[in-house]
């Protein structure tokens, strides 16, 4: 949303991926080498940018989650389809040649399944706490909160890098949170240009309003202030 280069590279990658899958289905394998090269070239850029983005989000997300829940150490983990390579000191991104080798190793499987099994379209993010997967043990409310705080972190980050205040749309998003967490979440929202919220009947929306807030009611297909 803020990185034009990433958007362009992602579009190119998707075009290459679509074309590669088509020739796999049509069994026109003579073009595979060229598409593999383009897949690796654009995919590595995407992988590097995603890793940096997850690092940036972790500077925001973990603190937000702790402030709302009191639970420490919940982080986002990026799991690229093209695995990073460990060495004696650290880990490094695979080279284009190493990625091409990975793609070619899966080529026979690709031909059988008529789809591309290797690349950023197979990337995953997971949520960890103290090196353990967090989501399997998380409650429904905790999972809901993770989704909300990811969006909050996105808005915080976007405003930070662009200077543009976001417009926030919250469509009954706090339904599964207890009143204390709802108030904490709303207090952590970034400075915004506008905020639109919808609530079910009985929701204590009065707690969330600010000076200048306007409240509308929708009843039997008619709305009024």
């Amino acid at each position: 949303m803020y990185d034009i280069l990433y958007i362009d590279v992602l579009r190119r990658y998707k075009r290459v991926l679509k074309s590669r899958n088509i020739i796999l289905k049509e069994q026109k394998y003579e073009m595979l080498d060229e598409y593999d090269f383009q897949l690796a070239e654009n995919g590595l850029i995407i992988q590097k940018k995603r890793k940096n983005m997850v690092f940036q989000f972790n500077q925001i997300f973990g603190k937000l989650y702790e402030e709302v829940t009191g639970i420490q150490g919940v982080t986002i983990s990026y799991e690229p389809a093209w695995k990073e390579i460990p060495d004696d000191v650290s880990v490094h991104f695979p080279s284009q040649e190493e990625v091409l080798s990975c793609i070619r190793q899966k080529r026979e499987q690709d031909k059988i399944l008529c789809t591309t099994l290797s690349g950023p379209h197979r990337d995953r993010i997971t949520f960890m706490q103290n090196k353990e997967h967090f989501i399997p043990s998380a409650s429904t409310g905790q999972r809901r909160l993770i989704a909300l705080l990811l969006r909050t972190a996105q808005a915080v980050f976007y405003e930070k890098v662009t200077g543009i205040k976001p417009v926030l749309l919250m469509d009954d998003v706090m339904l599964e949170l207890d009143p204390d967490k709802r108030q904490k979440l709303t207090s952590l929202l970034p400075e915004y240009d506008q905020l639109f919220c919808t609530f079910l009947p009985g929701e204590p929306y009065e707690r969330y309003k600010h000076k200048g807030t306007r409240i509308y009611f929708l009843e039997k297909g008619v709305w009024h202030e």
Side-chain angles (χ1 to χ4, degrees):
M1 293 174 65
Y2 76 94
D3 187 337
I4 295 174
L5 176 60
Y6 176 81
I7 295 172
D8 286 344
V9 172
L10 186 62
R11 285 172 178 164
R12 287 201 299 272
Y13 180 85
K14 287 182 176 179
R15 286 198 298 268
V16 173
L17 179 64
K18 182 178 179 180
S19 298
R20 190 178 189 276
N21 286 340
I22 288 173
I23 67 171
L24 285 169
K25 291 175 183 176
E26 296 178 350
Q27 299 183 358
K28 297 178 179 179
Y29 303 136
E30 64 275 6
M31 290 292 293
L32 276 176
D33 284 343
E34 177 59 30
Y35 283 122
D36 289 355
F37 177 83
Q38 295 181 45
L39 202 73
E41 181 181 45
N42 292 288
L44 274 173
I45 297 173
I46 292 170
Q47 183 169 315
K48 289 174 182 178
K49 286 185 172 290
R50 284 180 175 173
K51 182 177 181 181
N52 178 64
M53 185 75 262
V54 170
F55 174 80
Q56 298 288 343
F57 261 47
N58 268 326
Q59 311 310 303
I60 302 169
F61 174 79
K63 294 176 182 176
L64 292 176
Y65 198 83
E66 183 179 350
E67 285 190 53
V68 175
T69 66
I71 298 174
Q72 298 179 340
V74 177
T75 59
I76 308 167
S77 174
Y78 173 48
E79 299 179 0
W82 295 328
K83 301 299 182 185
E84 294 179 311
I85 299 170
D87 55 32
D88 293 337
V89 179
S90 59
V91 294
H92 65 274
F93 283 106
S95 66
Q96 191 161 315
E97 290 73 23
E98 288 167 329
V99 167
L100 283 171
S101 176
C102 176
I103 295 172
R104 287 164 185 161
Q105 286 174 11
K106 293 184 178 292
R107 184 175 284 187
E108 292 307 311
Q109 289 178 277
D110 290 353
K111 290 178 181 179
I112 294 170
L113 298 175
C114 299
T115 191
T116 303
L117 298 174
S118 174
H121 59 291
R122 302 277 178 172
D123 286 354
R124 298 180 61 196
I125 65 167
T126 57
F127 297 89
M128 310 293 290
Q129 185 186 26
N130 300 324
K131 298 182 180 181
E132 299 287 338
H133 286 277
F134 181 66
I135 290 297
S137 61
S139 66
T140 301
Q142 287 173 331
R143 297 181 189 190
R144 179 77 162 174
L145 190 58
I146 280 177
L148 295 178
L149 290 178
L150 274 176
R151 288 299 190 187
T152 304
Q154 179 185 13
V156 170
F157 180 80
Y158 188 80
E159 194 274 335
K160 178 181 176 182
V161 296
T162 66
I164 300 172
K165 295 177 183 178
V167 174
L168 305 178
L169 309 176
M170 300 178 68
D171 184 13
D172 197 27
V173 297
M174 296 185 286
L175 182 62
E176 296 174 18
L177 304 182
D178 61 53
D180 182 55
K181 287 186 175 62
R182 294 181 191 190
Q183 286 193 306
K184 286 181 178 178
L185 177 63
T186 54
S187 70
L188 293 173
L189 291 177
E191 191 173 354
Y192 48 78
D193 185 56
Q194 283 185 291
L195 168 62
F196 295 87
C197 298
T198 62
F199 298 107
L200 292 174
E203 174 69 35
Y205 55 82
E206 296 282 348
R207 297 180 183 177
Y208 317 124
K209 72 177 185 179
H210 301 284
K211 183 180 180 181
T213 294
R214 302 183 70 172
I215 299 173
Y216 298 89
F217 297 90
L218 181 63
E219 298 175 305
K220 298 181 180 179
V222 179
W223 68 284
H224 59 88
E225 188 169 359

